[in-house]
Amino acid sequence: MVAKKKAAARKKAAKKKTAATKRAARGAVRPLETETLTTPDGSSPERIPVHISYEIIRLFSEGLYQSPQKAVEELVSNSYDAEATEVRVLLPEQSDDDELPPLWVLDNGLGMDGSGFHALWRVADSPKAKATHASVRPPIGQFGIGKLASYVLAHQLTHVSKAGAKIRATTMNFRDLESRHQFEDHEAFHLDLQTLTMSEAKNLLSDIEHRDPDGWAMLFGPSASSSWTVAGMDDFKSLYDKLSAGRLKWVLETGLPLHSDFSVFVDTEKLESSKETFTSIASYTIGSDGDEVAATLPEHLAVSASSGTLRIPGIDGEVTGSAVIYEKRLTEGKSDRYSRSHGFFVRVRGRIINLEDELFGLPALNHSAWARFSMEVDADGLRDHLLSSREGVRESSAIDSLRQYLHGVFNYCRRRYEEWEEKEREGLDLDSLLRDAPSLFVTEPMIAGVQRVVQTGIESYYIDTPDIEGVDEEEWLVSFANDASDLPIAHVRFEATGAYDRALRFMPDTRTIIMNTSHPYVDKLTSMGRTNAAATLFGSSEVLLDLLLQDHGVPTQLVVDLLSDRDKSLRLLAGDHPSTAEEILRLLKVANRSDKALERAIGAAFRSLGFEYERRGGYEGGTDGVLFARLGRGTSGLDDYKVVYDAKQTNQSAVPAGRVKVASLEDFRAEEEAQFGFFLANAYAAQEQTSGKLNKEVAEAVGNGAAVSLLRIEHLTRLVKIHYQYGVTLTDIRRLFEQAHLVPEVDLWIDQFEAQRQADAPVPLQRLLDGIERAKDDKNARPNVQAVRARDDLLHPYNPDRLLAVLRAVETIIGKRWIEVDTTSGDVRLHHNADQIVAEVERLLRDLFGVNAMNDILDSSPDDQS
């Protein structure tokens, strides 16, 4: 295979070398034999003096024009300056005998008379530079050296032009200048200016007739142009092999003004203006009303903007244009093989002057945004600042001011791109998603569903009760209906609202969907890709499902039950299990089977106790996880605390002392700025022996100020059961970490704590929930445990933390679709009435702990409420 490839490469190189050799050997072979012609009256042809040497030709052409495309572009530029409305480029095709026909550029411009031909060959002196804006079309050329660009591509350049009733022609063979050196004193080199008959012109240009019939008709047809010019290049150099038709088309489309009165054809194909078809994110118009970029420039620059134009001291006339930043990169795709589509495109009299300098002299800019940014700038006043190559500008304070402005426009677009990018990361643009949705299926059910919630005070599964305190109910509903008709879902936010909370919630007052990132199904959706688009689609469809079920007459309670069962199914699909009391105890029972089982049990158990849980995964040099206890402000400051832990799963009967790294855990605790740390295992070697290696190490560390404890899975199971039965507060667990460090100490602490809870009077759950339900009537505040306790003499003897712990246990047992407790603020949300909640708790506790469990644990009797 390799040998075949090498042979093919050698064959290709040999063919290319042969073609180049034949091209060089042609030398004076000229398909355009104009010097054999005579004037119609038989007189000698007019002669045009050309003051130039071979060195000057090489300096200007090879130094300024290194691209084969530029040679062709210069000829097209001449057509534009001649006020042509149509220019046609014919690229030569390789023939069987390796003889290339000429490359033609023909136009229907003004044409050249004798003085025009003389002006054409005045090198470095262009009459176009003297043109004024009163001309029909401001000229592109300025320096009179464009015709030399053809030297990089071919040895011979012929012009044939019709002006008035005459057709004239000249041919420059650059080989004739090879003996004319700059250091030698020579008379002017002369070109013959031939006057041709119509028949001679047709014979000279006959190659065009079969290659471009429409172009031939423009020259000699029944409706031929009254004036025209044809430029032909022949006897090509090796650089011609690098001429790319695709890149030439791109250069002509983007590097020259393709106005409606100027059409360009390449090999009979009409070029279209290079308008971007990508979807844009934002745009900016120079000099727009309140041009914020101009307003932020330093005052000493004296840059002013108004009515779509910009004025910069030192640059004559106005600067206009606009910028666009796109969703897709402009630096990707097949078109980028030819040339760039991004960056600054600065035009002087319609021609881009910085094709090779996308930054226009600015330093490198933000790559991601820069690849999507394109700005067109028209500044004819830069004509006086151009370099001789017309491919750049001279440095000046005026140019610096222009660059500062352009940089400001880019930064404006970059900020819009970053906002769009952030929105893309968060998810879909719901405005676009729902813009064409029929109101029958979206808008009307939403308005009716929210109206039902407001008027009955009964929430659906996903639809929250709006906060409309102090606002007339009817006025609010009318306002909501108007807003929802335009945009049913205005925002989507992603927040961690709890592992046991529903997957999402719709807030009607802001028309916002809050996606619960702690929910296992939502967590799975958001982790599947770079954006939250899948989760956003899921959330919006769930809200609409809730609303449509109600709109079809399904009772609210049935909707809640149906979607609650659906939530359980979603959790199972995500690989999680219902976080019920029964399930948590089951997880603890099998926790020592594997590392994964142990981690799941730890997370579920501590979340049920009121902690926020963050798994770290036990990476090298880090902890397995962190627990956060949010207690809020106490009498002496913030009572919050943090705990780090290291879980030790083993298939042996006990974890060896050597696997328990006390010093490492202390280091983790210091790094996390945590107050406590603990190990968790099924059992530890010699855990009951005070003289055991591990116990001695822990005791010594505690004596030196460490805050570390040894917990067993059995300890955590007992704490969870006590919590379900009596309520365990985060303050209680703080005391555990402060007072018990070795396994026997933890055993004793839990025994004493459980005995104390059993001796305490049962919390009157029914009375507490009834008080919270009555507090819902207060439109100026949310129901709060501390407030309910303060108003009820029978509840006042109970510590607020104890009441909150009991409600938190209730929340864990029956789920947040029944009751939600904020342990920091003490606020409570009831989604069912007190009697229903107590009945559900009683049913589940009976299943867990026995027939009379409810009476032994909580006082659920309906006390006298007088």
Side-chain angles (χ1 to χ4, degrees), residues 55-74:
E55 286 85 2
I56 292 296
I57 293 176
R58 293 188 61 183
L59 173 65
F60 277 104
S61 60
E62 295 179 357
L64 297 177
Y65 303 104
Q66 300 176 5
S67 163
Q69 283 72 228
K70 293 295 294 184
V72 181
E73 184 194 15
E74 285 295 340

Side-chain angles (χ1 to χ4, degrees), residues 496-502 505 516 518 571 579-581 584 602-613 627-631 719-733 757 763 765 768-769 772 785 799-830 837 841 844-845 858:
T497 61
Y500 310 119
D501 196 4
R502 68 203 78 179
R505 183 180 301 165
N516 176 17
S518 299
R571 290 176 183 274
S579 301
T580 61
I584 292 172
I602 291 172
F606 277 102
R607 280 194 294 247
S608 73
L609 293 170
F611 285 90
E612 293 179 12
Y613 163 72
L627 304 172
F628 301 88
R630 308 295 189 189
L631 292 171
L719 285 172
V720 170
K721 288 183 176 181
I722 294 171
H723 178 56
Y724 292 152
Q725 293 174 304
Y726 307 104
V728 175
T729 70
L730 294 173
T731 302
D732 293 332
I733 297 178
R757 279 289 183 261
V763 171
L765 178 62
L768 177 59
L769 291 173
I772 292 170
V785 169
N799 186 290
D801 286 347
R802 174 83 187 282
L803 298 178
L804 277 171
V806 167
L807 291 176
R808 174 65 181 165
V810 169
E811 178 188 68
T812 306
I813 293 169
I814 64 176
K816 287 195 174 187
R817 70 185 182 91
W818 292 80
I819 179 174
E820 293 178 84
V821 182
D822 186 331
T823 54
T824 302
S825 66
D827 290 346
V828 181
R829 295 169 62 90
L830 300 183
I837 291 173
V841 172
L844 291 175
L845 284 179
L858 300 170

Side-chain angles (χ1 to χ4, degrees), residues 522-536:
V522 176
D523 177 65
K524 198 172 193 68
L525 289 177
T526 55
S527 64
M528 288 172 61
R530 293 186 303 106
T531 74
N532 291 330
T536 298

Side-chain angles (χ1 to χ4, degrees), residues 279-285 288 290-293 296 323-327 366 368-370 372-373 407-425 429:
T279 303
S280 64
I281 296 170
S283 62
Y284 194 94
T285 302
S288 57
D291 188 326
E292 64 180 76
V293 174
T296 58
V324 183
I325 193 161
Y326 297 90
E327 292 183 1
N366 177 280
S368 184
W370 181 245
R372 294 169 168 82
F373 174 80
H407 196 175
V409 173
F410 167 75
N411 283 336
Y412 171 90
C413 292
R414 174 182 56 80
R415 290 191 293 270
R416 302 292 85 78
Y417 163 71
E418 289 171 350
E419 292 170 358
W420 170 84
E421 188 179 37
E422 179 65 24
K423 194 171 186 179
E424 285 294 295
R425 280 197 297 266
D429 180 353

Side-chain angles (χ1 to χ4, degrees), residues 508-545:
D509 38 349
T510 58
R511 307 193 318 286
T512 298
I513 295 176
I514 297 177
M515 301 298 300
N516 176 17
T517 56
S518 299
H519 191 285
Y521 191 77
V522 176
D523 177 65
K524 198 172 193 68
L525 289 177
T526 55
S527 64
M528 288 172 61
R530 293 186 303 106
T531 74
N532 291 330
T536 298
L537 278 173
F538 164 71
S540 57
S541 64
E542 288 295 290
V543 169
L544 296 177
L545 174 61

Side-chain angles (χ1 to χ4, degrees), residues 118-269:
H118 278 266
L120 173 68
W121 284 106
R122 282 203 294 270
V123 178
D125 179 19
S126 173
K128 293 185 286 186
K130 300 180 178 63
T132 66
H133 287 278
S135 303
V136 174
R137 182 183 289 165
I140 293 173
Q142 180 175 352
F143 297 104
I145 57 176
K147 79 278 291 181
L148 301 184
S150 60
Y151 175 74
V152 304
L153 201 60
H155 288 288
Q156 183 168 283
L157 173 64
T158 295
H159 284 89
V160 183
S161 186
K162 180 175 185 290
K166 292 186 176 182
I167 300 176
R168 299 173 176 84
T170 62
T171 293
M172 167 62 84
N173 188 336
F174 291 107
R175 292 181 186 275
D176 293 340
L177 298 176
E178 292 179 358
S179 61
R180 301 178 65 84
H181 300 290
Q182 183 70 17
F183 55 85
E184 296 177 348
D185 187 14
H186 287 286
E187 293 183 0
F189 177 81
H190 288 84
L191 292 178
D192 289 340
L193 177 60
Q194 310 285 351
T195 301
L196 311 181
T197 64
M198 183 66 71
S199 176
E200 290 172 332
K202 287 183 177 180
N203 182 61
L204 182 65
L205 304 176
S206 59
D207 177 60
I208 298 173
E209 184 175 10
H210 71 277
R211 290 173 61 187
D212 185 4
D214 290 337
W216 183 260
M218 184 178 73
L219 303 178
F220 304 112
S223 301
S225 175
S226 60
S227 61
W228 46 261
T229 298
V230 176
M233 283 186 280
D234 186 48
D235 191 6
F236 295 102
K237 295 185 173 184
S238 60
L239 187 64
Y240 173 79
D241 294 328
K242 297 182 180 180
L243 180 64
S244 163
R247 182 173 174 84
L248 174 63
K249 291 176 183 178
W250 182 91
V251 168
L252 296 177
E253 287 174 340
T254 62
L256 290 171
L258 298 179
H259 303 303
S260 58
D261 63 341
F262 185 64
S263 299
V264 178
F265 296 79
V266 174
D267 291 334
T268 72
E269 175 189 347

